[in-house]
Amino acid sequence: MITAVRAAWLRAEIPAARRHTSDFGVNDSFNTCLIEIDTDAGLTGLGEAKVGVGNLGNYAALVALIHAELAPLLLGRDARDVTALWEAVYNGTRAHYVAAHGRTFPIVGRRGITVSALSGIDMALWDLLGKALGQPVWRLLGGRLRERIPAYASGGWAPVGGVGKQLRQYVERGHRAVKMRVGLQDRSVDDSAARVREARQALGPEVGLMVDAHGTWSVREAQRFARKVADCDLAWLEEPVSPDNVAGQAEVRAATDIPIAAGESEQTRFAFRDLIEARAVDVLQPDVAIAGGITETLRICALAATHGLTVAPHLWGGAVLFASGLHLAVATPCVTTLEFSRGENPLLNDLVEEPFELVDGYVLAPDRPGLGLTLRRDVVHAMTVPA
């Protein structure tokens, strides 16, 4: 039985010397919402919820929503009923219709911070279930399909003359694939293309290279960029245009054979269904802390597999989010790679006792119960923003 639900805004300051700048601005801190759910069996499940795809943001409203509105829906319920609790939050007072009629009756807030909060709550429930059964979450998701998963380095903000060296540093740390940022952070499409050419020359042909425009280009700019880098063997072009412009993204995809990746800001399987039906995407990128948690990301993966697409979870966040993506990857065939944040990220590197280690470009399947994480309470206390 659930006895307590707690949420905290965590904010980790980034030292000035280790900050980077992108179209989002200066990366001066890393922010997220940590969720903890206690049961009468003495167990605590950990979850992570995000209000933005990046590391910035104000989490006060999300914390208040969880404490004031969602916690009362959960208290006294059986934490093992993961699907029922997901539906209770998503459908509100009409959740009882779901079992009888087999379809959704969602609340108005089926997008936005309510689903973000649900995402973290769902993670914590899966963590609790694994701990209660003494099994890692991947075992509950169908078992171990693979013992390790490749992880690409996510970074690459340096300008022309420096980006090649920056990306080579990721390879020297063991990565076999890297992702760099392009788009309006650069002076022009030509500038972005020049940086990609420098990156490919520095990396050589054997290292995978992805690019991420953060949804900042127009359709024509994205098409022009794709033509200019057509010979650079890109693994994917991520978010070439605004996520609000699905039709435009489909135009970009139709104009190039570079795979298009997208979905980090989308919520629930219904949004991903629309991307797929528009023929606007090749690689789906649900963020488990935004899209609806592990439960909903499994459904998104099923959609991807049905249409012959792959999934690369968006994992620009903390340790709980990364662990959730890792467990999904261990058990789910269409999840073929993981994002490994290489910007300064204390929430990933300092928050828990168990480090995420890269071995020959891969992250190994964990064997500890639940998500397999132990919070460093002193770090949590130091990072918590007072309510």
Side-chain angles (χ1 to χ4, degrees):
M1 180 183 297
I2 295 174
T3 58
V5 179
R6 299 185 300 280
W9 173 5
L10 302 187
R11 177 183 175 89
E13 299 291 337
I14 305 300
R18 298 181 181 177
R19 297 173 182 173
H20 67 262
T21 300
S22 72
D23 52 280
F24 286 106
V26 178
N27 174 59
D28 59 2
S29 65
F30 228 107
N31 296 260
T32 198
C33 176
L34 174 68
I35 297 174
E36 297 181 75
I37 299 179
D38 298 337
T39 71
D40 58 356
L43 299 174
T44 299
L46 304 179
E48 182 173 349
K50 293 168 54 182
V51 297
V53 298
N55 48 282
L56 303 174
N58 186 307
Y59 281 76
L62 182 62
V63 170
L65 170 70
I66 293 168
H67 286 158
E69 186 171 341
L70 302 186
L73 296 177
L74 305 174
L75 294 174
R77 299 286 298 267
D78 191 328
R80 297 170 295 183
D81 294 335
V82 179
T83 300
L85 294 173
W86 195 98
E87 299 294 346
V89 174
Y90 189 71
N91 296 280
T93 59
R94 298 187 296 177
H96 62 285
Y97 287 128
V98 175
H101 298 278
R103 59 182 182 270
T104 61
F105 299 84
I107 61 173
V108 172
R110 67 187 184 278
R111 300 290 189 271
I113 67 171
T114 300
V115 172
S116 292
L118 172 57
S119 301
I121 289 168
D122 183 76
M123 276 187 225
L125 294 174
W126 280 101
D127 188 29
L128 279 169
L129 185 58
K131 289 174 177 175
L133 297 174
Q135 296 292 328
V137 166
W138 56 256
R139 180 72 70 192
L140 312 181
L141 302 180
R144 182 166 50 198
L145 174 76
R146 49 176 71 94
E147 296 185 354
R148 61 180 191 168
I149 184 78
Y152 69 88
S154 186
W157 303 274
V160 170
V163 71
K165 178 181 178 181
Q166 186 177 56
L167 296 178
R168 282 297 310 172
Q169 291 173 343
Y170 303 150
V171 175
E172 291 165 3
R173 296 175 71 170
H175 291 282
R176 299 178 181 179
V178 300
K179 185 170 78 179
M180 60 181 287
R181 271 57 182 181
V182 294
L184 289 189
Q185 72 161 42
D186 297 329
R187 292 171 297 180
S188 65
V189 169
D190 285 341
D191 190 34
S192 287
R195 292 176 60 244
V196 171
R197 290 189 171 281
E198 177 187 334
R200 176 49 76 199
Q201 182 175 9
L203 296 171
E206 301 302 321
V207 176
L209 177 60
M210 303 88 152
V211 299
D212 183 356
H214 285 171
T216 58
W217 275 325
S218 69
V219 171
R220 294 300 183 220
E221 287 170 330
Q223 290 172 328
R224 191 160 70 249
F225 170 81
R227 287 196 301 271
K228 289 177 178 293
V229 299
D231 60 347
C232 291
D233 191 24
L234 296 182
W236 72 56
L237 168 55
E238 184 172 333
E239 289 208 312
V241 299
S242 168
D244 286 338
N245 191 1
V246 175
Q249 185 168 293
E251 289 184 50
V252 175
R253 181 173 180 263
T256 180
D257 64 0
I258 301 172
I260 301 300
E264 65 185 40
S265 62
E266 303 295 351
Q267 295 187 304
T268 78
R269 61 197 181 274
F270 305 108
F272 285 89
R273 173 203 60 195
D274 295 344
L275 276 175
I276 294 169
E277 290 183 349
R279 301 184 68 82
V281 67
D282 298 284
V283 182
L284 275 60
Q285 297 179 299
D287 188 310
V288 190
I290 293 173
I294 292 173
T295 295
E296 191 69 355
T297 304
L298 282 171
R299 296 164 176 163
I300 294 165
C301 289
L303 273 176
T306 302
H307 290 85
L309 306 176
T310 58
V311 174
H314 181 261
L315 300 177
W316 192 261
V320 184
L321 170 59
F322 188 87
S324 297
L326 175 57
H327 282 266
L328 278 164
V330 169
T332 309
C334 65
V335 181
T336 57
T337 188
L338 293 181
E339 180 175 31
F340 204 125
S341 168
R342 285 310 187 188
E344 183 68 14
N345 187 350
L347 293 177
L348 177 64
N349 301 317
D350 302 334
L351 189 63
V352 299
E353 298 286 353
E354 300 81 7
F356 298 106
E357 297 181 356
L358 199 69
V359 180
D360 296 328
Y362 293 82
V363 180
L364 303 182
D367 58 7
R368 298 174 298 275
L371 293 175
L373 303 177
T374 307
L375 287 177
R376 295 176 59 189
R377 288 290 174 184
D378 57 332
V379 175
V380 172
H381 178 74
M383 291 182 178
T384 298
V385 176

